[in-house]
Amino acid sequence: MRRFTFIHRGHGGPEELSIEVDDSLQRCVLSRGGRSEPASIARLPDGRVSLLLEDGRQICGRVRVLCGGDLEVVTGSSRRKIALADPLRDRIAHAAQSESGSPAEEEIRALMPGRVIEIAVKRGQRVGAGELVLVLEAMKMQNEIRASRGGTVAEIRVEAGRAVEGGAIMVVLRADEEPS
């Protein structure tokens, strides 16, 4: 099965959505808010996609990718725009929002399970916004994890070569004091 994880930013704030699709592209599992629903997938001759959930509900419509990664979903007479982003792009896009009222410390977490390949910082080291903190291998890709803001490395909770679970705290940055 292939797994895709997205962040949806709706009225209730950010929410993680995941879709696991089998290799035949005929079955999937949709997960949202800790609840998972298995479904059958069918591509209809007119271009629509049909999801048949195990409880008998059917969702049928067209999906169009808009610029910026948003989706437009058209079902019957309903047309909805859904803002989705992969977790890394969401974190980068919304890092500037958190800077205004940012806490004294920032936890850099693993967005997905993986293995730490390299730790590029040491405890007590000063890092700038966008500077490389560590490299995490996940899904056969090496992901460079960078600081979203400047600060001092307060803690390093991982070791190179070790596996981490999704959501695990890897590094803690302490915000620099503002000059008065």
Side-chain angles (χ1 to χ4, degrees):
M1 285 195 113
R2 292 184 290 171
R3 181 184 173 111
F4 303 93
T5 302
F6 302 97
I7 303 297
H8 170 60
R9 289 194 175 262
H11 300 295
E15 179 179 24
E16 184 176 296
L17 307 172
S18 68
I19 303 168
E20 291 184 45
V21 181
D22 71 4
D23 294 329
S24 68
L25 299 177
Q26 296 179 347
R27 301 267 319 144
C28 70
V29 177
L30 309 169
S31 300
R32 177 181 180 186
R35 187 171 159 217
S36 297
E37 294 189 66
S40 297
I41 306 170
R43 185 172 298 276
L44 303 177
D46 64 359
R48 293 179 300 151
V49 174
S50 173
L51 295 177
L52 180 59
L53 302 164
E54 287 191 342
D55 65 2
R57 290 180 295 142
Q58 181 180 19
I59 302 169
C60 186
R62 298 183 197 300
V63 177
R64 185 171 65 121
V65 178
L66 304 173
C67 65
D70 292 348
L71 298 177
E72 179 182 56
V73 179
V74 181
T75 58
S77 62
S78 170
R79 181 180 302 257
R80 293 184 182 173
K81 181 179 170 187
I82 301 173
L84 291 179
D86 68 80
L88 180 60
R89 289 192 202 293
D90 183 74
R91 180 177 170 207
I92 291 169
H94 293 90
Q97 287 181 354
S98 65
E99 285 186 18
S100 57
S102 58
E105 292 186 342
E106 175 187 6
E107 297 173 339
I108 298 176
R109 295 178 177 263
L111 298 176
M112 62 187 78
R115 184 171 55 95
V116 177
I117 299 297
E118 172 190 352
I119 300 172
V121 295
K122 296 188 182 326
R123 191 172 190 271
Q125 179 179 339
R126 165 83 174 92
V127 295
E131 193 171 325
L132 179 66
V133 175
L134 57 86
V135 178
L136 181 69
E137 182 181 67
M139 297 172 41
K140 299 182 182 177
M141 293 181 62
Q142 291 190 2
N143 301 286
E144 293 183 344
I145 309 300
R146 297 183 176 273
S148 63
R149 64 176 186 194
T152 302
V153 178
E155 295 179 56
I156 299 175
R157 297 187 183 179
V158 294
E159 295 177 32
R162 296 282 178 120
V164 294
E165 292 297 319
I169 298 171
M170 298 184 295
V171 175
V172 177
L173 291 180
R174 184 176 305 118
D176 291 334
E177 294 294 321
E178 293 292 323
S180 25

